[in-house]
Amino acid sequence: MFSFDAALLALDLIGVFFFAVSGSLLAARKRFDVVGSVLLASLVGLGGGVIRDVLINAGPPAVFTNPWYLLPPVLAAGLVFFLFESVQRYTSLLTYFDAGGLALFCMSGALKAINAGLHPVAAVLLGVTTAVGGGVLRDITANEVPQLFDAKDIYALPAFTGAGLTVLVWNLGAFTWATALAIAMLVFAFRILAWRRHWFVPLAVNGWHRQES
């Protein structure tokens, strides 16, 4: 049986874990210590949800009222601490875990907006904000150019796609565990394909030439 609260909590916790692993991988690449790894994992994993809850005035953010939210960043930092020696050559892992978090958070943000009574357009925007917010905080903290603003990559469009489909399917009364999984897989595939095939959107000024890396 589908439960809205259970679906939202599951999407949030799994999304926190995926984003947190991406944060710990970046911390390891930057040679942060284990405390820095936990903090960066927490920032990326929980940042988007905090922004979401503050924007919709949902009271104290979920991370401060539900201790389960603190577990995924610790698990992610521990996983990277013990396994990074064997996975550090796979630099694409960070992108894969980030894509997983993006796919889940764009849905959880849209669902929470719907539950708060926001109209569909606002729900889509909140889903995107939830999805990209943590990644921006992670990259800025680690002194990286946020992926959201990388001219040679597509980051926000997969989140828009996932949030839009979530709102559409919900309004059609067809949102189930199966449709949620399908949306998450679509967003994940979109993000990874865009990264692998170097898809991009036009620059802000027409006529400017895109510099090659």
Side-chain angles (χ1 to χ4, degrees):
M1 175 178 283
F2 179 80
S3 166
F4 181 89
D5 291 337
L8 187 57
L9 181 61
L11 290 173
D12 255 2
L13 291 179
I14 300 172
V16 168
F17 177 75
F18 274 93
F19 266 142
V21 171
S22 77
S24 288
L25 285 171
L26 182 57
R29 182 184 298 173
K30 291 285 186 175
R31 302 187 67 81
F32 291 1
D33 61 22
V34 68
V35 175
S37 177
V38 173
L39 291 178
L40 196 61
S42 300
L43 185 64
V44 61
L46 304 173
V50 171
I51 294 171
R52 172 198 65 200
D53 293 344
V54 169
L55 286 176
I56 63 175
N57 195 25
V63 62
F64 299 125
T65 59
N66 187 342
W68 284 106
Y69 280 85
L70 302 176
L71 186 60
V74 176
L75 289 177
L79 180 70
V80 172
F81 178 80
F82 288 108
L83 298 182
F84 189 72
E85 283 296 328
S86 62
V87 303
Q88 61 180 337
R89 63 183 181 275
Y90 301 115
T91 56
S92 61
L93 273 180
L94 195 156
T95 302
Y96 280 105
F97 276 99
D98 182 78
L102 191 80
L104 295 167
F105 265 27
C106 68
M107 285 193 290
S108 71
L111 288 175
K112 197 145 190 180
I114 291 170
N115 192 47
L118 273 64
H119 59 77
V121 174
V124 172
L125 293 176
L126 189 64
V128 174
T129 302
T130 305
V132 305
V136 171
L137 293 174
R138 174 199 63 207
D139 295 339
I140 290 175
T141 302
N143 199 28
E144 295 274 315
V145 176
Q147 290 178 301
L148 178 63
F149 305 121
D150 188 349
K152 299 184 291 295
D153 199 1
I154 290 179
Y155 195 71
L157 283 182
F160 268 108
T161 301
L165 287 175
T166 299
V167 172
L168 176 62
V169 172
W170 179 268
N171 286 329
L172 292 175
F175 194 89
T176 64
W177 289 111
T179 54
L181 179 61
I183 293 172
M185 292 176 63
L186 177 63
V187 175
F188 180 84
F190 185 4
R191 170 72 185 111
I192 295 302
L193 279 173
W195 169 66
R196 283 191 171 277
R197 297 181 178 274
H198 306 289
W199 293 345
F200 55 83
V201 294
L203 292 176
V205 178
N206 186 33
W208 281 26
H209 295 289
R210 188 178 302 273
Q211 294 182 352
E212 298 294 336
S213 59

